[in-house]
Amino acid sequence: MKAMSFSPANHCNLKLQKNPIKQPILANPTHFSSHQNQKPSNKKHQFPSFSIKASKTPQTPLTKNPGTPPLVVVGSANADIYVEIDRLPKEGETISAKTGQTLAGGKGANQAACGARLSYPTYFVGQVGEDAHGRLITEALKNGGVNLDCVRNLSDAPTGHAVVMLQPDGQNSIIIVGGANMSCWPEKLSDEDLEVVRKAGVVLLQREIPDLVNIQVAKAARSAGVPVILDAGGMDAPMPPELLNAVDIFSPNESELARLTRMSTESFEQIGQAVVKCHKMGVKQVLVKLGAKGSALFVEGEKPIKQPIISAARVLDTTGAGDTFTAAFAVALVEGKTKEECMRFAAAAASLCVQVKGAIPSMPDRPSVLHLLQTV
């Protein structure tokens, strides 16, 4: 896909969502911990925090209050059209699907839904069309506790959608139609949108919206000292150096890393060599999602941190697993956990995700993730 340029001549009709969004309220906030004999804390928490493993260094208690800097996700929202098939069709072949359904998805919406499901205050900045698919997505996010004050409804572009071809082993192939995700963005983002970014605790980006938008958001976040995580998933186009230079953590999977660097990523040694090229391109931390082989965080000048997968009882659908991993990592990071703890928390969330069909419907809640961590 070629890089896009934007002009005020697009004359898009943009409307801010006015629906009040209710954040999830925990009636009896609890401090989750893997330590069975820990004394209860006297501090009150609006959002539960977690402890994965005893750390060798003292950890500052995390107090969640209404002023907690939120997770802000700027990105795509798609209607995912699922078709379950026995195999992919060959060229020129027509096959029948066993079932089909339409669910809310898109990398941005997935990550926002995951943040809210993990009981962290989450904002989504994105665009949908004024159509049934747009209503499907906003209702799913609103019901999940995501703040939609910065979601725009476009009258001049349809909601983005994706065809997800799901095979019996849970693996999928996906075709994306950008729609509102790639259309009618203003040449310059509003101060209102960027103010949300500047007040964030962490910002998540993906490449299913124009790079022009991501660059503005990343620069605004960096100017305010807000960490930015860029998920490499999305358009198959060269990565603008201006974007890489403005993010703190770049998160590709193996194939995305290979495509970006034009290097082989079949072995861990080759992955490490490709990551070195990313460092030279301007990004200091690279979080690589390795599928069944787990994940690895490469910080320039430091030894890689490896995290194996946490085995799932069954794998029904891998759609959204990478988004779940990235969002869970971001939540743990903004809550002050060590990088090792962040990766372990993210691995547990992804393990639960693949056991449920659909992207947003499969996002795990915090108690489920913590329970899994305490049992492995």
Side-chain angles (χ1 to χ4, degrees):
M1 184 177 296
K2 295 183 179 179
M4 299 181 64
S5 60
F6 298 86
S7 166
N10 285 329
H11 295 302
C12 293
N13 183 13
L14 306 182
K15 298 180 181 179
L16 283 177
Q17 282 284 97
K18 298 300 182 182
N19 297 329
I21 307 302
K22 295 183 180 180
Q23 292 290 351
I25 299 175
L26 304 175
N28 298 298
T30 307
H31 177 80
F32 293 98
S33 172
S34 60
H35 304 293
Q36 300 299 317
N37 298 319
Q38 187 174 12
K39 294 181 179 180
S41 171
N42 292 324
K43 294 185 178 182
K44 295 181 179 180
H45 300 271
Q46 183 178 0
F47 296 92
S49 61
F50 64 87
S51 176
I52 298 172
K53 284 185 176 180
S55 175
K56 294 181 181 179
T57 58
Q59 296 291 317
T60 303
L62 298 171
T63 301
K64 301 299 175 191
N65 54 56
T68 298
L71 166 65
V72 174
V73 182
V74 182
S76 60
N78 289 327
D80 288 344
I81 303 168
Y82 278 82
V83 290
E84 292 191 46
I85 55 178
D86 291 324
R87 59 175 178 81
L88 293 174
K90 299 177 182 178
E91 184 175 351
E93 181 184 23
T94 299
I95 63 174
S96 296
K98 293 186 290 186
T99 62
Q101 60 179 324
T102 302
L103 300 171
K107 293 188 71 65
N110 292 345
Q111 292 174 5
C114 182
R117 286 283 288 171
L118 294 173
S119 300
Y120 197 85
T122 302
Y123 283 66
F124 178 58
V125 180
Q127 300 186 155
V128 297
E130 292 183 339
D131 49 36
H133 285 164
R135 292 188 291 274
L136 171 73
I137 294 165
T138 54
E139 283 299 313
L141 292 176
K142 182 175 65 175
N143 292 339
V146 178
N147 187 299
L148 303 182
D149 287 348
C150 294
V151 171
R152 294 185 177 91
N153 292 328
L154 304 185
S155 62
D156 297 350
T159 300
H161 61 278
V163 178
V164 182
M165 293 171 282
L166 183 63
Q167 298 180 69
D169 62 358
Q171 298 302 312
N172 60 63
S173 298
I174 303 174
I175 302 171
I176 296 174
V177 180
N181 296 313
M182 296 298 296
S183 303
C184 302
W185 284 89
E187 186 174 346
K188 183 177 180 180
L189 294 181
S190 71
D191 288 338
E192 182 180 0
D193 285 344
L194 294 181
E195 187 64 16
V196 171
V197 169
R198 294 186 188 104
K199 291 183 178 179
V202 62
V203 170
L204 276 179
L205 303 174
Q206 324 81 38
R207 298 196 73 204
E208 290 184 348
I209 62 174
D211 286 330
L212 173 67
V213 177
N214 280 334
I215 290 170
Q216 290 183 65
V217 171
K219 287 184 173 180
R222 171 154 287 190
S223 70
V226 177
V228 179
I229 301 175
L230 171 64
D231 189 307
M235 70 177 76
D236 182 7
M239 182 75 66
E242 191 177 7
L243 177 56
L244 273 183
N245 288 329
V247 305
D248 297 278
I249 301 176
F250 177 57
S251 184
N253 60 27
E254 291 170 281
S255 61
E256 291 160 351
L257 180 62
R259 189 167 65 237
L260 173 67
T261 62
R262 297 182 180 179
M263 298 174 66
S264 176
T265 56
E266 294 182 4
S267 68
F268 192 79
E269 181 181 1
Q270 291 173 329
I271 289 170
Q273 292 170 350
V275 166
V276 170
K277 188 170 183 178
C278 290
H279 292 328
K280 293 178 179 178
M281 295 169 70
V283 63
K284 304 303 180 184
Q285 300 182 68
V286 182
L287 177 61
V288 186
K289 298 179 282 281
L290 302 172
K293 293 178 286 187
S295 59
L297 176 63
F298 296 81
V299 180
E300 189 173 31
E302 300 180 13
K303 183 179 179 180
I305 301 171
K306 297 180 182 180
Q307 171 62 51
I309 63 166
I310 295 177
S311 297
R314 56 179 181 171
V315 177
L316 291 182
D317 183 6
T318 58
T319 308
D323 296 329
T324 299
F325 181 94
T326 305
F329 181 93
V331 168
L333 184 69
V334 75
E335 290 184 339
K337 294 304 171 183
T338 67
K339 290 183 172 66
E340 291 84 357
E341 289 175 326
C342 291
M343 295 182 70
R344 184 168 163 79
F345 185 70
S351 175
L352 293 170
C353 171
V354 301
Q355 300 181 53
V356 180
K357 290 183 181 179
I360 288 179
S362 70
M363 302 298 170
D365 59 25
R366 182 179 290 252
S368 298
V369 175
L370 298 175
H371 175 72
L372 177 59
L373 287 170
Q374 292 172 356
T375 58
V376 295

